[in-house]
Amino acid sequence: MTREPDYIFSELAKSWLSKYIRQWKKIWILVNKKWYSGWIFCRKCGFVPKCDKCSVNISYHKINTWKIWLCNICKSQYDFPQKCPHCWSTEIKEFGIWTQQVSELIENEFKTKTQIIESESANSKKKIKEILSQKDIQIYIWTSLLNTPIQWLNLDLIIFLNADLWLNIPNYSAEYNNFNFLYDTFKSHNCNNFIVQSFNPEHYSIRNACKLDKKNFSQKDNEFRKNNNYPPFADVCVLLYKNEIEEKLFNKIDKIHKELLYLKEKYKMNELEIYSTPPIIYKIFGKYRYNIILKWKNLRNFMDIVYTKLNLTQNNFKVDRNSENIV
Ligand SMILES: [Zn+2]
Ligand SMILES: [Zn+2]
C-alpha cells in the first residue's frame, strides 16, 4: 500500500472489484472499525483533536444523514472544529477509513449497492441469512470478523482493507494476533480469492499467513519471544495504576517503582526487568493511567512478596499477573 496512489483501495483491488461486479459475484470487504476509523487531522500542523476525558482521537460516526463526532470510550460528543485550535489553519479535515466512506466510494465509483454489516447485529446464523437474502446486493462491508465463521456461505472474493491491523498495536503478541486474524479468515471461510492490502507485505506475520505456513510463523514468533523474554519463556506482570490527578499518578508510580527496585535488590533478582510506561490510552473517563511492567523467567514467588509488602490491594490498582497485554 505504500506505493499505491489511493490509500483505501489498491489498483489490484479496484480491477478485481470492477470485474467481479460485472460478473455479479459476491464480494466481502473487511474494515475493522475498532482500530481503524475516521478522525480529524490538521493538514498544516498535524494536530489531532482528542477527547477531554480520554486520550483518544475523536472519531466520526454517521447515523443516516447525520454526522456526529464522538469519543468511542465515554461517548462525549464534539463539534467539528472550523479552525485548528493550534495553528488556526482552516485546513482541518476528516481522515481515515470508515465503513460509510468505503460504502460511498464503491457506490459512486462502481454504481452498485452495498450493505454495511455491523458484527453486533449479525450475531446468529438466522440474522446473517436474513441480511444476505437481499437479492440486489453483491458487496457486503463487514466491520469485524464474526465469532462463528459462515462456512455455508460461498463468497467469491474477500478484501482485507488493512491486513496490518494488529501489527500497529505495540504489544508482544501483535505479530501472533495479526497472523491468526488472517490465517483464521483464510481457513474458515469458503472463498475462492483473497486480496490482502498491507503496508508491511514482507513482515513474517503477513507472509506466513498468506502462505498458510503456521510452522514457520511459530518458529519466528518463538525466536522473538525467547530473545526478548516474553511468555511462554518468561512471566510478564502488569501493574496498572489510575488516578484523576496527574501529579498524584506520577508520585505514586515513582514511589512504587522505587520500592520494586529495592525489593529486586533485596531478593537478589538481578535479571528482573522493571519499567514504567503509559498505556496506549493514557486517559479514560477522566482518569490518568500508568503501567509498571515486570518481566522475568519466574515471577510467581516475587509477586507474592510484592503483594504483601506494597499493599497493592487498594482501589486504584489493577494487577494482571499473567498479562497477555502490555499496552
Ligand atoms: Zn493546525
Ligand atoms: Zn472520552
Side-chain angles (χ1 to χ4, degrees), residues 51-54 56 71-76 78 285:
C51 173
D52 298 336
K53 297 192 202 80
C54 317
V56 295
C71 167
N72 272 336
I73 293 176
C74 72
K75 311 292 175 209
S76 300
Y78 292 88
F285 283 109

Side-chain angles (χ1 to χ4, degrees), residues 14-204:
K14 280 185 192 166
S15 73
W16 276 73
L17 274 169
S18 67
K19 187 172 85 180
Y20 269 25
I21 288 168
R22 263 184 281 123
Q23 296 172 358
W24 200 250
K25 304 241 188 201
K26 291 265 181 214
I27 304 162
W28 187 18
I29 299 169
L30 199 62
V31 187
N32 196 313
K33 69 168 179 183
K34 199 171 176 191
W35 295 100
Y36 210 59
S37 60
W39 63 91
I40 311 168
F41 172 74
C42 171
R43 295 282 192 279
K44 213 165 162 212
C45 74
F47 176 75
V48 178
K50 290 180 188 290
C51 173
D52 298 336
K53 297 192 202 80
C54 317
S55 57
V56 295
N57 301 346
I58 296 166
S59 71
Y60 166 99
H61 288 257
K62 203 173 172 185
I63 301 165
N64 299 320
T65 54
W66 282 90
K67 260 187 191 183
I68 54 164
W69 290 92
L70 56 78
C71 167
N72 272 336
I73 293 176
C74 72
K75 311 292 175 209
S76 300
Q77 282 197 31
Y78 292 88
D79 292 329
F80 190 91
Q82 300 301 312
K83 279 183 181 161
C84 169
H86 254 224
C87 70
W88 304 108
S89 158
T90 49
E91 282 293 292
I92 188 153
K93 300 248 164 71
E94 301 163 1
F95 186 78
I97 295 181
W98 44 87
T99 46
Q100 287 95 347
Q101 187 197 16
V102 173
S103 161
E104 282 163 23
L105 206 136
I106 291 172
E107 293 187 3
N108 291 333
E109 201 162 329
F110 301 100
K111 309 286 172 245
T112 184
K113 275 216 256 175
T114 61
Q115 178 148 7
I116 296 171
I117 300 172
E118 309 271 345
S119 48
E120 303 89 67
S121 60
N123 52 9
S124 72
K125 195 171 171 174
K126 192 171 159 257
K127 279 190 191 151
I128 298 166
K129 278 201 164 154
E130 259 170 43
I131 295 167
L132 298 176
S133 64
Q134 295 179 53
K135 293 271 180 299
D136 58 338
I137 305 252
Q138 62 176 133
I139 299 187
Y140 297 97
I141 300 164
W142 299 74
T143 56
S144 72
L145 287 178
L146 299 168
N147 292 332
T148 30
I150 36 177
Q151 257 160 338
W152 42 270
L153 174 74
N154 291 316
L155 289 161
D156 298 296
L157 173 64
I158 294 180
I159 302 175
F160 291 87
L161 276 193
N162 177 15
D164 310 329
L165 212 64
W166 303 100
L167 282 186
N168 302 328
I169 299 161
N171 196 11
Y172 70 85
S173 49
E175 281 79 8
Y176 177 81
N177 291 337
N178 208 79
F179 174 85
N180 282 325
F181 161 67
L182 293 173
Y183 184 90
D184 291 346
T185 317
F186 296 145
K187 280 284 192 190
S188 62
H189 292 82
N190 209 346
C191 182
N192 301 321
N193 301 289
F194 295 91
I195 291 180
V196 179
Q197 298 192 161
S198 167
F199 288 91
N200 310 279
E202 299 306 323
H203 194 286
Y204 70 88

Side-chain angles (χ1 to χ4, degrees), residues 189-305:
H189 292 82
N190 209 346
C191 182
N192 301 321
N193 301 289
F194 295 91
I195 291 180
V196 179
Q197 298 192 161
S198 167
F199 288 91
N200 310 279
E202 299 306 323
H203 194 286
Y204 70 88
S205 146
I206 308 265
R207 271 269 153 240
N208 285 312
C210 291
K211 287 181 179 170
L212 298 178
D213 195 342
K214 207 164 199 167
K215 208 175 147 202
N216 193 273
F217 171 78
S218 303
Q219 213 180 319
K220 287 241 156 45
D221 198 46
N222 276 336
E223 250 168 59
F224 159 79
R225 286 168 185 250
K226 202 170 182 176
N227 293 338
N228 296 287
N229 275 334
Y230 282 120
F233 305 97
D235 294 336
V236 170
C237 178
V238 178
L239 314 180
L240 170 70
Y241 182 69
K242 296 181 253 184
N243 206 303
E244 273 136 2
I245 302 155
E246 208 172 8
E247 204 188 329
K248 279 193 179 167
L249 177 97
F250 288 141
N251 289 341
K252 187 77 180 178
I253 286 292
D254 197 44
K255 188 169 168 263
I256 294 281
H257 197 148
K258 282 188 184 129
E259 285 171 340
L260 284 168
L261 289 175
Y262 169 77
L263 290 176
K264 172 184 166 176
E265 181 121 355
K266 188 177 172 193
Y267 292 92
K268 301 199 169 35
M269 310 274 289
N270 299 336
E271 283 166 61
L272 170 68
E273 294 174 49
I274 304 173
Y275 50 96
S276 48
T277 167
I280 202 165
I281 304 172
Y282 178 47
K283 194 180 175 192
I284 290 183
F285 283 109
K287 277 191 176 176
Y288 297 94
R289 301 141 52 86
Y290 226 90
N291 279 333
I292 296 182
I293 296 167
L294 295 101
K295 234 165 96 210
W296 195 53
K297 297 257 183 299
N298 185 356
L299 271 179
R300 186 178 292 182
N301 294 338
F302 184 70
M303 283 316 292
D304 286 341
I305 300 167

